[in-house]
Each structure stands twice: as C-alpha cells, then as structure tokens.
Amino acid sequence: VSTQSTGSLYFIDMFSVARVATVSICGAARFNAVAAAVPAKMQTLHKILIGEVIFKNKALVKESNVEQVFGAEWKKELEAYASKLPADQKKVLDRQVARLSLTRYTTRELAQFATKGPENVDAAANAFMVAEARKMLAAKGEAAFVEHVKAEAKLANWTDAAVKKFVDEVKTAKK
C-alpha cells in the first residue's frame, strides 16, 4: 500500500466506522500485478499465520478456524504458495504452520504428549489413542469398539478413510 493516498473509503456496520486509506494509482497497479501472480486467499492466510492481520472479531488462530475459513485443502494450497516464497519467508511460514497444528490439543494433552518435544506431539498422541483404543477393543469387543470409534470420528470430522485406517491400526497394534 502506498503512502500517497487519493482519498478515503468508509466501511459502516452496526458497531463502528472504520477509515481505510485508499491506494494510489501506482500502488494499485503494483498490487494488481502481485495479486495476479499469487492467490489472494493464500496471501491472507500467510499474513494471518505470521501475525500481520487477524481473523474477523479477533477469532483465535487455530487449525479448526483456519480450515473453516480457508477450506479443507488449505494445507495443499499453502504449500503451493510457499514454494514460490523466498527461503527465509518459507522457513517462518513452515514454523507457524507447525505451531498451528498444536492448536488441536488442550494444554493438558500438550503437557502429556510434548515430553519429547513439540515435533513429536502428533506421534505421542496417536500412540496414546491406539493404546487406549486397544484396551477398549479388548473390553467391549469389535462391534462396540467400531461403533464407538465411528461416533467419536463423526464429532471430530474424520473421513471414513481415516476411521478405517485408525480401526485397522488398533487391530494390528502390538499388545
């Protein structure tokens, strides 16, 4: 955005009037050239992840909110976008995406699963879930176990493929 402004725009809603400076003609041309090369959606996500902008109504930057706003394929789109960034910006973005993945866990889960470092949280959580599921499978039987996993998976928005993979992993896990 250029500092040479041609005027102002006002966005009026129920709660406030925000003054937004408009872009000069030169700045607009420069922005349009960049916008044509890079999807604006991923530019926005990049800015949210590095803290330059925030979600509407100051919503938390967590994986579920990112997926809700940017869609289920946001990781693939962001990887494609990041491949065109300079190495230093890509490194920062990768670090922020790794941090974002930790927002799926409560503080209690992080304390329990991050004992070997934050990069091992997913593996430790999965190992714990498999161990607990193995106990449930032994106690309740396969039919009740599969029914319970499907009910929980529905609440967690798991796909049918993810459910099948987890059930198979539990069945083949070592005792």
Side-chain angles (χ1 to χ4, degrees), residues 20-156:
V20 179
T22 58
V23 180
S24 71
I25 295 172
C26 294
R30 187 173 53 240
F31 176 77
N32 288 337
V34 171
V38 180
K41 183 169 107 173
M42 289 301 106
Q43 284 180 331
T44 303
L45 179 55
H46 181 195
K47 288 182 179 185
I48 288 170
L49 291 175
I50 63 172
E52 283 186 22
V53 295
I54 60 173
F55 278 127
K56 184 177 180 180
N57 297 327
K58 297 181 183 175
L60 296 175
V61 179
K62 57 184 190 173
E63 196 169 41
S64 60
N65 290 344
V66 169
E67 187 168 325
Q68 182 180 15
V69 173
F70 294 96
E73 300 294 318
W74 70 269
K75 284 185 182 177
K76 290 179 185 173
E77 293 174 22
L78 189 63
E79 286 174 10
Y81 166 78
S83 67
K84 298 172 186 166
L85 291 175
D88 59 332
Q89 289 182 12
K90 184 175 180 353
K91 183 178 177 183
V92 169
L93 186 60
D94 288 344
R95 184 186 72 221
Q96 294 306 103
V97 170
R99 286 180 176 175
L100 185 66
S101 71
L102 296 177
T103 61
R104 292 180 292 164
Y105 300 102
T106 64
T107 53
R108 180 183 294 169
E109 291 170 331
L110 286 173
Q112 181 179 359
F113 303 136
T115 56
K116 295 181 182 174
E119 62 278 356
N120 298 318
V121 171
D122 288 334
N126 188 53
F128 177 78
M129 284 189 346
V130 169
E132 291 296 306
R134 188 93 181 117
K135 292 176 191 174
M136 179 182 280
L137 177 62
K140 294 188 175 186
E142 187 173 339
F145 167 71
V146 171
E147 185 179 320
H148 179 78
V149 169
K150 285 182 180 178
E152 288 293 323
K154 186 176 181 183
L155 294 174

